[in-house]
Amino acid sequence: PFSWTSIPTVRAEKWIQGETFSLFAGSHNGYERLGDPIVHRRLIFHRHGGFWLVRDLALGKGLHELETFWHFAPDLALSPVESGFIAEPFSSAPKNGTRPRTRLAFLTTQRGGWNCDQSSGYISYGYGTKQAAPIVRLSAVAQLPAESATLLPVLRVGEIPGEFIEMSSVPEEV
């Protein structure tokens, strides 16, 4: 059903499953066919019951338009916050003054010229079907190598996410 001219090579570079966390690192070469080839690497750290940290790297040379699309379930509503969005079920709107037990925050760093916007799109649970669903698009025009990071913390009742900031090394002269 798909008209792929080539199938990318996908590599699981590391996969560790601990008692309290999971770590995955992988890559694919699906963009090596471009005039300026790119390798996409992704690292996912999951603290069980707490959060996911996703780091995407675009390895290559030159200036490129980069996009990552995050597709959410159709029954989730996205609300904007400082560094991203809060996702919660439509059906869990406040009833009798109560809030849902958990929600998921979608937080990104605003470093490196990355833009974060919400739109409507589709997801598919099977071939030949599609259903309207919210989508978050991260995009940038960036000199490679480039990276983005996304934090997905589970929020408890009453919790409000803080800002997701990226720390880097301090120059020696400071």
Side-chain angles (χ1 to χ4, degrees), residues 69-72 78 117-123 133-137:
F69 293 90
W70 293 79
H71 297 256
F72 289 83
L78 298 182
D117 53 67
Q118 178 188 354
S119 64
S120 294
Y122 298 96
I123 64 166
I135 294 174
V136 171
R137 175 180 157 260

Side-chain angles (χ1 to χ4, degrees), residues 26-47:
S27 63
H28 74 83
N29 67 352
Y31 304 118
E32 284 188 346
R33 61 182 162 50
L34 300 174
D36 285 326
I38 300 172
V39 172
H40 176 218
R41 294 191 73 217
R42 177 170 276 184
L43 181 131
I44 303 169
F45 177 82
H46 176 215
R47 170 72 167 100

Side-chain angles (χ1 to χ4, degrees), residues 94-99:
K95 296 175 188 168
N96 302 329
T98 63
R99 300 292 282 156

Side-chain angles (χ1 to χ4, degrees), residues 46-85:
H46 176 215
R47 170 72 167 100
H48 300 164
F51 65 89
W52 290 262
L53 175 64
V54 179
R55 180 180 182 227
D56 286 302
L57 296 156
L59 304 172
K61 297 178 182 173
L63 192 65
H64 289 267
E65 183 177 339
L66 305 172
E67 293 179 310
T68 302
F69 293 90
W70 293 79
H71 297 256
F72 289 83
D75 64 342
L76 292 179
L78 298 182
S79 306
V81 293
E82 180 74 28
S83 296
F85 298 93

